[in-house]
Amino acid sequence: MNPYYYCLNVKANDYVWLLQNKALEITEAAIEEIENGFIIRTEEPIEPIKRRLSAYAEELSVIVGAGIELKFSTTKCRNEDWIAQYRESVQPIECGKYYIHPSWCEQRGDKVNVIIEPALAFGSGHHPSTFGCLMAFQVLEQRFQGKDSKNNLAAGLKSKRILDVGCGSGILSICAKKSGAIVFACDTDEMAVESTKENAQKNDVVLDGVFCGSLDAIPEEKYSFDVVVANILADVILALPLEEFVKERGYLILSGILEVYLPKVLAKFKDFNVISREINAQWATLVLEKKDRDAK
């Protein structure tokens, strides 16, 4: 162990969660979320990390059409048991029936426990968009239960076909699988796909399909899913044919949408009924139901 390590404090005016995801791609060091930013603690040289984050912020600014400003501050610290200190700083997340926690926290007997390591994941439940999707699952469980009880079919998400587009850490896929769903997950980032597979294994679940790529890789699955969930940027949601993969009377869960982009997203999915619309810290989560053809 080196006698010193670096503490890189990164602040941004927007899209902090995407920058944090990029930092996790660049380095496997421990990353702590803070207000409007994050802290990277590493023994690696800091300057290459700063350069790659700055380059990514420039690329992201072009994509979203808004300037993303980064501020860095660095301190050199004497090495000590900072991993233990970091672990103490990470708090589990309780989201309805789900309890999202790192492996070093005790499980809850009254909850669906999901292990996600914050320092090695693209989503740990802390971000409002991830939290919104988990709550949306529970909205749909109630709707499915109401429908299924009339036909004596399985209740909630059990046996429902779910596609997680942009799976990241796999947190949404794993929660859906633990609720009894048939789950397929995809991401264009190979590291995210590996993260999903690793986290599924840690949670003792086997997803029904995990692949690197986007919707164009599964044309045979069109109109086959009860639920398609996409926790990604609004621009990507607008570009992808998500509606083509939802059954009639099926559902879309859309998140990662800044409130300012809601009108564009709702205009695209005008053939869906709005079941719920939740906004948390300017991030919107939508639950939409696909209309019957005869109802359009």
Side-chain angles (χ1 to χ4, degrees):
M1 182 173 68
N2 292 333
Y4 296 95
Y5 71 93
Y6 298 101
C7 184
L8 176 61
N9 190 311
V10 184
K11 292 270 191 171
N13 61 328
D14 210 342
Y15 294 99
V16 172
W17 65 294
L18 288 174
L19 292 161
Q20 182 176 325
N21 288 352
K22 188 65 177 178
L24 288 163
E25 178 186 325
I26 294 170
T27 175
E28 293 186 356
I31 294 179
E32 178 183 351
E33 295 179 7
I34 59 174
E35 186 175 358
N36 299 322
F38 51 92
I39 299 171
I40 303 173
R41 295 184 175 91
T42 180
E43 295 177 352
E44 301 174 34
I46 287 296
E47 289 305 316
I49 297 173
K50 291 168 62 175
R51 284 196 298 269
R52 291 185 66 181
L53 282 176
S54 296
Y56 180 69
E58 291 180 8
E59 293 174 10
L60 196 56
S61 295
V62 174
I63 294 171
V64 302
I68 298 174
E69 299 174 4
L70 294 184
K71 292 183 180 179
F72 299 109
S73 60
T74 306
T75 54
K76 186 178 180 180
C77 307
R78 188 174 295 279
N79 234 327
E80 55 188 39
D81 193 9
W82 56 265
I83 291 291
Q85 295 179 15
Y86 166 72
R87 287 183 171 188
E88 290 177 5
S89 74
V90 176
Q91 297 299 314
I93 296 292
E94 185 175 333
C95 184
K97 74 175 188 177
Y98 300 112
Y99 186 63
I100 317 298
H101 62 90
S103 57
W104 58 84
C105 290
E106 290 187 11
Q107 297 193 358
R108 289 270 302 270
D110 60 335
K111 297 289 182 180
V112 175
N113 289 273
V114 178
I115 298 171
I116 299 290
E117 309 291 16
L120 298 174
F122 293 81
S124 58
H126 290 79
H127 193 272
S129 63
T130 308
F131 192 91
C133 289
L134 292 174
M135 294 305 297
F137 276 161
Q138 291 164 90
V139 169
L140 291 186
E141 282 199 328
Q142 293 176 357
R143 290 184 69 85
F144 284 134
Q145 190 159 359
K147 292 178 181 180
D148 291 345
S149 61
K150 298 176 184 178
N151 301 310
N152 296 316
L153 298 175
L157 296 181
K158 189 175 181 182
S159 300
K160 301 301 180 186
R161 284 173 54 83
I162 294 181
L163 174 62
D164 181 7
V165 180
C167 53
S169 68
I171 182 173
L172 300 178
S173 295
I174 293 164
C175 287
K177 191 65 183 178
K178 286 202 168 195
S179 296
I182 300 165
V183 182
F184 294 83
C186 67
D187 202 296
T188 56
D189 189 321
E190 290 184 12
M191 187 175 176
V193 171
E194 289 306 311
S195 180
T196 291
K197 291 177 179 177
E198 290 171 8
N199 283 323
Q201 188 173 19
K202 287 178 184 177
N203 284 276
D204 296 320
V205 299
V206 178
L207 301 179
D208 299 274
V210 184
F211 63 94
C212 188
S214 191
L215 298 175
D216 55 359
I218 51 168
E220 71 280 1
E221 298 290 350
K222 284 186 176 182
Y223 309 108
S224 70
F225 291 99
D226 298 287
V227 181
V228 173
V229 55
N231 181 18
I232 47 184
L233 286 174
D235 287 345
V236 182
I237 288 173
L238 292 170
L240 290 175
L242 296 166
E243 68 281 1
E244 294 181 6
F245 289 79
V246 185
K247 287 180 177 179
E248 243 176 61
R249 301 297 301 275
Y251 296 90
L252 271 175
I253 297 174
L254 304 176
S255 197
I257 307 165
L258 284 170
E259 188 176 0
V260 67
Y261 294 114
L262 261 181
K264 288 184 179 180
V265 174
L266 290 170
K268 176 182 178 179
F269 298 103
K270 62 180 185 294
D271 290 333
F272 286 70
N273 295 315
V274 178
I275 303 303
S276 72
R277 178 190 323 197
E278 298 294 333
I279 297 173
N280 185 357
Q282 298 187 348
W283 293 94
T285 301
L286 298 171
V287 179
L288 308 176
E289 182 183 30
K290 195 172 190 177
K291 298 176 183 177
D292 287 331
R293 291 177 185 173
D294 295 340
K296 294 179 183 178

